[in-house]
Amino acid sequence: MSCIRFNTPAQRQAMRDHRPVMLTSDQVASLHSAPPVTASKIARLRTLAVHTNPKIRESVASSPHAPDDLLATLARDADEGVRSCVARNEGAPCDVLRGLAADPSERVRGFLALNFSVPADVMNTLAADDSDVVRGLVGWKSSLARA
């Protein structure tokens, strides 16, 4: 028995007629729009930002809808993971990101180096970081810009 399939011209045409429609990413996004950001959503973020579980605070720190003052507070969180999430958040204010450049955690500074919203002066600071890892991430990111 052969595994080769022999389709008639009519079968091939039927397969072409019924193939899935390919949508662009913009078309897919328009079909699955996010709900609007409301005052109650911001209130929930503020409530969750003081939760005892650092993983929940991390989710707030990662939110593109977190208010600037909340991100500034979370950037001073005792948990390194929470500060790392602020460092990765491309919506974080530049002043908050500048403050994280002096964070004692190599992990936080490393995530900061990968954030494409970090101002040039912060990248220059990170390029002179004591950590080989942070300097390496800065170099890798700058190589992407040259490519």
Side-chain angles (χ1 to χ4, degrees):
M1 179 175 237
S2 174
C3 63
I4 299 174
R5 228 172 118 177
F6 296 99
N7 293 320
T8 66
Q11 289 171 321
R12 287 194 299 271
Q13 183 61 47
M15 286 187 287
R16 282 192 296 273
D17 291 344
H18 294 94
R19 69 177 168 237
V21 176
M22 301 305 285
L23 301 176
T24 66
S25 59
D26 290 336
Q27 290 169 323
V28 172
S30 70
L31 293 173
H32 304 284
S33 59
V37 179
T38 61
S40 65
K41 180 170 185 152
I42 300 301
R44 283 192 303 278
L45 287 172
R46 290 189 184 284
T47 300
L48 294 173
V50 295
H51 198 278
T52 57
N53 185 338
K55 295 296 181 190
I56 292 175
R57 295 194 311 274
E58 284 179 17
S59 70
V60 176
S62 299
S63 173
H65 306 298
D68 293 352
D69 65 307
L70 199 54
L71 289 172
T73 300
L74 291 170
R76 296 184 304 273
D77 196 277
D79 187 82
E80 172 187 62
V82 175
R83 296 191 317 274
S84 294
C85 287
V86 175
R88 288 186 291 207
N89 189 331
E90 293 185 358
C94 290
D95 291 340
V96 170
L97 297 176
R98 277 189 183 91
L100 289 172
D103 195 276
S105 168
E106 177 184 73
R107 177 180 169 201
V108 172
R109 296 189 317 275
F111 278 121
L112 185 63
L114 297 176
N115 185 333
F116 284 101
S117 297
V118 171
D121 62 310
V122 176
M123 289 306 293
N124 291 337
T125 301
L126 295 172
D129 197 274
D130 291 338
S131 165
D132 291 338
V133 172
V134 173
R135 288 193 316 274
L137 290 170
V138 170
W140 175 77
K141 183 176 154 189
S142 65
S143 74
L144 293 177
R146 290 189 300 265

